[in-house]
């Protein structure tokens, strides 16, 4: 009963604090405090509900149990993080986004490619990952290379579409003005069209951050060496080690949020002039 009361009080306290924060003048501190308070409140309620109702730890471990498992399995979590996030997701993300950006430049320079490549890219983007993963494993082996290949396929098309749209974002009057300055294609591209395309480019980059991590983890379900987040989640579920499964999920969530946050931070520095970046 005490844990249930704790959960209720935690919820009331967190709700009251968030209401108070919402009434304050907009500031960076308040914008950071609101999600932090909500997260702490959610964890406290989770702990109280699991303890209060005596929920089986196999069904839903308490946050304290997950934290204890994380602290005792740092070596395993680190090895899995390097295998999945650094080798699989990050390498595939860099290759896929770079290839998509260069392809978008080629499509912009030679418009006939737009009619040929975009429908093909749309078809590839619609392919299910559970169908591509076994094929990539057969092509590239059980190492991180096959997971990176899956990530390349997943991030390529969103990045390509956003970049192509961004390169068309500048209006006719701006392009006419560049022509009056005797600017050729490449100078117009560098001075006008690429800067105008940056919000679209970063939109593709941010979409790719989540797709890359999802693709790398799911691909490990279909063939992996004895390490990696997907491999660990798959085997731990079979062993009913749900605390380790949740520990891997927490690490993946932190990595994905940090990855997205880094892209958003870089976007704010590069596209500071865009209305979306103005407070």
């Amino acid at each position: 009963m005490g844990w249930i009361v704790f959960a209720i009080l935690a919820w009331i306290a967190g709700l009251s604090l968030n209401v108070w924060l919402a009434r304050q003048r907009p500031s960076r501190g308040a914008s950071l405090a609101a999600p932090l308070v909500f997260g702490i409140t959610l964890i406290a309620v989770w702990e109280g509900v699991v303890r209060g109702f005596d929920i089986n730890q196999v069904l839903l471990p308490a946050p304290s149990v997950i934290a204890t498992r994380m602290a005792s399995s740092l070596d395993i979590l680190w090895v899995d993080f390097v295998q999945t996030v650094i080798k699989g997701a990050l390498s595939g993300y860099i290759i896929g986004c770079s290839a998509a950006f260069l392809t978008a430049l080629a499509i912009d320079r030679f418009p006939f490619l737009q009619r040929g490549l975009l429908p093909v890219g749309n078809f590839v983007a619609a392919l299910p990952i559970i169908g591509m993963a076994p094929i990539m494993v057969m092509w590239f082996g059980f190492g991180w290379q096959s997971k990176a290949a899956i990530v390349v396929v997943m991030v390529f098309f969103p990045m390509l579409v956003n970049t192509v749209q961004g390169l068309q974002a500048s209006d006719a009057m701006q392009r006419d003005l560049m022509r009056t300055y005797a600017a050729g294609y490449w100078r117009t591209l560098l001075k006008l069209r690429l800067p105008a395309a940056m919000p679209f480019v970063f939109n593709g980059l941010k979409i790719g951050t989540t797709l890359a991590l999802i693709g790398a983890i799911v691909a490990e379900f279909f063939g992996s060496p004895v390490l990696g987040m997907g491999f660990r989640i798959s085997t731990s579920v079979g062993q009913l080690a749900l605390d380790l499964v949740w520990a891997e999920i927490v690490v993946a969530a932190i990595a994905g949020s940090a990855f997205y946050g880094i892209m958003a931070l870089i976007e704010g520095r590069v596209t500071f002039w865009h209305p979306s970046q103005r407070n």
Side-chain angles (χ1 to χ4, degrees):
M1 187 63 183
W3 282 106
I4 300 299
V5 174
F6 169 78
I8 295 174
L9 293 177
W11 178 257
I12 294 174
L15 180 63
S16 303
L17 187 54
N18 264 325
V19 170
W20 178 80
L21 288 171
R23 293 175 178 172
Q24 305 305 307
R25 296 182 60 182
S27 64
R28 182 176 294 272
S31 63
L32 293 176
L36 183 62
V37 170
F38 181 82
I40 294 174
T41 303
L42 183 62
I43 292 173
V45 172
W46 180 356
E47 182 79 25
V49 169
V50 171
R51 299 289 186 182
F53 289 102
D54 195 22
I55 297 176
N56 193 317
Q57 296 296 314
V58 173
L59 297 177
L60 183 64
S64 58
V65 175
I66 298 172
T68 301
R69 186 56 186 261
M70 290 182 66
S72 62
S73 306
L74 289 178
D75 52 342
I76 296 175
L77 296 175
W78 172 250
V79 170
D80 292 342
F81 173 84
V82 172
Q83 176 72 15
T84 303
V85 178
I86 304 299
K87 293 182 178 180
L90 186 58
S91 60
Y93 176 83
I94 294 173
I95 295 171
C97 290
S98 300
F101 183 80
L102 295 176
T103 304
L105 293 180
I107 289 175
D108 181 73
R109 187 70 178 92
F110 306 103
F112 73 91
L113 293 175
Q114 184 170 355
R115 295 188 294 271
L117 286 179
L118 288 185
V120 174
N122 190 19
F123 172 77
V124 173
L127 294 175
I129 183 175
I130 59 174
M132 293 187 297
I135 297 174
M136 293 298 178
V137 169
M138 287 191 297
W139 286 0
F140 298 99
F142 290 94
W144 61 267
Q145 293 86 351
S146 58
K147 285 66 183 175
I150 289 290
V151 173
V152 169
V153 174
M154 292 191 66
V155 305
F156 181 85
F157 185 69
M159 182 66 183
L160 176 64
V161 171
N162 277 277
T163 305
V164 170
Q165 290 181 341
L167 291 173
Q168 299 171 355
S170 57
D171 56 43
M173 184 177 296
Q174 292 172 326
R175 294 193 294 271
D176 288 342
L177 179 62
M178 293 297 293
R179 280 193 289 269
T180 62
Y181 293 150
Y185 171 82
W186 292 109
R187 178 161 294 185
T188 302
L189 179 68
L190 294 175
K191 298 294 185 180
L192 171 64
R193 303 183 67 205
L194 271 181
M198 282 299 107
F200 295 85
V201 172
F202 276 101
N203 187 46
L205 289 172
K206 289 189 293 185
I207 292 173
T209 58
T210 55
L211 292 177
L213 195 56
I214 292 172
I217 292 175
V218 174
E220 289 180 345
F221 291 167
F222 298 91
S224 177
V226 291
L227 68 163
M229 291 182 173
F231 166 81
R232 198 75 58 191
I233 291 173
S234 178
T235 56
S236 297
V237 167
Q239 298 168 355
L240 297 181
L242 270 297
D243 52 350
L244 184 56
V245 172
W246 278 96
E248 294 281 359
I249 292 173
V250 170
V251 172
I254 294 173
S257 300
F259 199 2
Y260 185 93
I262 290 172
M263 286 296 107
L265 184 62
I266 297 174
E267 179 186 18
R269 296 293 185 268
V270 175
T271 62
F272 60 89
W273 48 269
H274 196 262
S276 63
Q277 301 299 327
R278 297 172 188 168
N279 295 324

